[in-house]
Amino acid sequence: MSNNKILIAYFSHSGHTMAVAEKIQSVVGGDLFEIEPVNPYKGDYNELVEQGKYEKQHNIFPELKDDGDVSNYDTIYVGTPVWWYTMAPPVKTFLANNNFAGKTIKPFCTHGGGGASETYTDMQKLAPDATVSEGFTSYEDTATLDDIKAWA
């Protein structure tokens, strides 16, 4: 598969998910796309946790600076930190605002100790016409290139 057919889309607040996305790109090639909300997340850890909880409880899809365009890609790696047992809300928006019919999503996530939880099954629900493959889960950004090669 040629590099122009692979997209690595990710949202990263602390930098862990971005670090894993960059490692994935070094293994598989492709284009990087950062999912960025119009209103960035601010505040200390506790404020961030409360905002994430609120957005999950109220099923909020925050507006993005750019929804991205997956139409020219066959395989889309989608990366997120795990917030409240699922993907971060900006990733929900990215999935909801793009057409993944006939595409393969290779999900990956970073977490601080809780694992992937419902992240990958929730991604499949938002992209029902895509094939969502087995996800890759990293504690923070500890994934090695060998780990990524074995998965990717």
Side-chain angles (χ1 to χ4, degrees):
M1 189 177 295
S2 62
N3 284 351
N4 65 350
K5 300 281 187 176
I6 296 173
L7 178 66
I8 304 157
Y10 68 92
F11 168 75
S12 188
H13 178 72
S14 65
H16 298 305
T17 308
M18 179 177 69
V20 174
E22 290 170 346
K23 289 176 186 176
I24 291 170
Q25 185 187 37
S26 76
V27 170
V28 303
D31 298 325
L32 276 177
F33 174 74
E34 184 176 5
I35 300 167
E36 297 179 274
V38 168
N39 299 309
Y41 292 91
K42 296 179 181 162
D44 66 19
Y45 177 79
N46 291 329
E47 290 170 312
L48 182 66
V49 166
E50 285 306 308
Q51 184 175 353
K53 180 181 179 182
Y54 178 86
E55 289 182 354
K56 180 183 180 188
Q57 289 174 335
H58 295 88
N59 201 29
I60 291 173
F61 289 76
E63 184 181 356
L64 302 179
K65 290 181 181 179
D66 180 349
D67 286 333
D69 179 4
V70 302
S71 62
N72 294 321
Y73 298 95
D74 300 317
T75 302
I76 300 98
Y77 291 79
V78 178
T80 182
V82 177
W83 286 5
W84 287 98
Y85 312 103
T86 190
M87 72 196 96
V91 178
K92 286 176 34 182
T93 304
F94 172 78
L95 291 170
N97 290 356
N98 277 283
N99 179 1
F100 290 92
K103 301 189 181 299
T104 298
I105 293 176
K106 296 188 102 165
F108 64 99
C109 72
T110 58
H111 66 90
S117 296
E118 301 301 314
T119 302
Y120 305 139
T121 53
D122 288 348
M123 283 186 181
Q124 181 71 73
K125 290 174 190 169
L126 284 171
D129 298 327
T131 300
V132 178
S133 64
E134 183 179 346
F136 179 81
T137 306
S138 174
Y139 175 74
E140 295 180 343
D141 59 359
T142 60
T144 66
L145 290 177
D146 286 339
D147 295 334
I148 291 167
K149 285 177 188 169
W151 165 72

